[in-house]
Amino acid sequence: QDDPELWSGCISGALQERDFLEAFVAAGFHGVEMPMLQEEPWRTVEGIEFRSTTVIAYKGKEGPCIEHNEAVIYRGPFKRVHDDDGHVFERGKRTAVCRKTFKLLTSEPYADRFIAVPPRVAIEPERAKPFPCNGRLMERSPRVTKGEDYRLTQLGDDGCEPGGGCC
């Protein structure tokens, strides 16, 4: 830090990759990813290698956690993932989320990893209640998103009948 040449070359005070990414999270960004890290260092000083990187990050994570009976299903490929807010999503599990998290996970950069499960009957904003978004998510019953009295039976028009030989 006392070397003027390193200061002028933007080397003194450089962050390690992990700290650089965490600075984006601390500034309120989400979806922080590092799609490119230069393979060869552009400079080496006293055994420390300096590389260029590209970071992609998104704004728009602010807002209250409100219940709208929404859920998401994590598609995979991992058995479970942890987000920056401490939520844990298990592959194939219908997980209850607040409106803010629902919108976040059904938009870029997450949309291809989650299936949106909106409620059959929307909750009007003035009737919505706070959602206990404490990082501990729970499985959401289909009865919540479809409604307690939902009993639809719908058979295909392909000639298959329950108990028949085509299924």
Side-chain angles (χ1 to χ4, degrees):
Q1 290 184 355
D2 295 329
D3 187 326
E5 182 182 333
L6 296 180
W7 268 108
S8 65
C10 297
I11 293 175
S12 184
L15 299 171
Q16 291 185 351
E17 295 90 351
R18 179 181 53 194
D19 296 335
F20 188 56
L21 296 173
E22 283 303 314
F24 282 88
V25 174
F29 287 88
H30 68 89
V32 179
E33 59 182 302
M34 186 172 56
M36 192 282 300
L37 178 64
Q38 186 179 17
E39 190 172 322
E40 293 296 321
W42 57 271
R43 185 133 181 217
T44 303
V45 176
E46 296 181 19
I48 300 171
E49 298 177 340
F50 294 86
R51 303 169 194 274
S52 295
T53 186
T54 299
V55 174
I56 299 173
Y58 299 79
K59 278 298 242 183
K61 185 171 139 176
E62 303 80 17
C65 294
I66 305 296
E67 174 67 275
H68 282 270
N69 289 347
E70 295 159 323
V72 294
I73 300 171
Y74 171 58
R75 296 177 187 267
F78 302 106
K79 181 177 182 177
R80 75 178 52 89
V81 294
H82 300 250
D83 72 7
D84 291 345
D85 295 326
H87 302 125
V88 178
F89 299 95
E90 294 183 17
R91 183 179 49 225
K93 183 177 179 181
R94 180 186 300 251
T95 306
V97 292
C98 70
R99 168 61 55 92
K100 176 179 68 171
T101 301
F102 182 80
K103 286 183 173 184
L104 207 66
L105 296 179
T106 57
S107 302
E108 289 302 321
Y110 314 107
D112 64 335
R113 297 284 181 221
F114 290 89
I115 299 167
V117 184
R120 189 174 64 81
V121 178
I123 295 177
E124 298 300 322
E126 61 274 0
R127 296 182 51 127
K129 296 183 175 12
F131 182 87
C133 212
N134 55 12
R136 294 171 32 125
L137 298 179
M138 57 202 145
E139 193 161 357
R140 171 139 292 163
S141 165
R143 289 276 170 229
V144 173
T145 52
K146 293 178 184 175
E148 289 294 328
D149 298 328
Y150 187 75
R151 301 279 187 261
L152 178 68
T153 300
Q154 194 171 15
L155 301 177
D157 58 0
D158 61 359
C160 278
E161 303 229 357
C166 64
C167 297

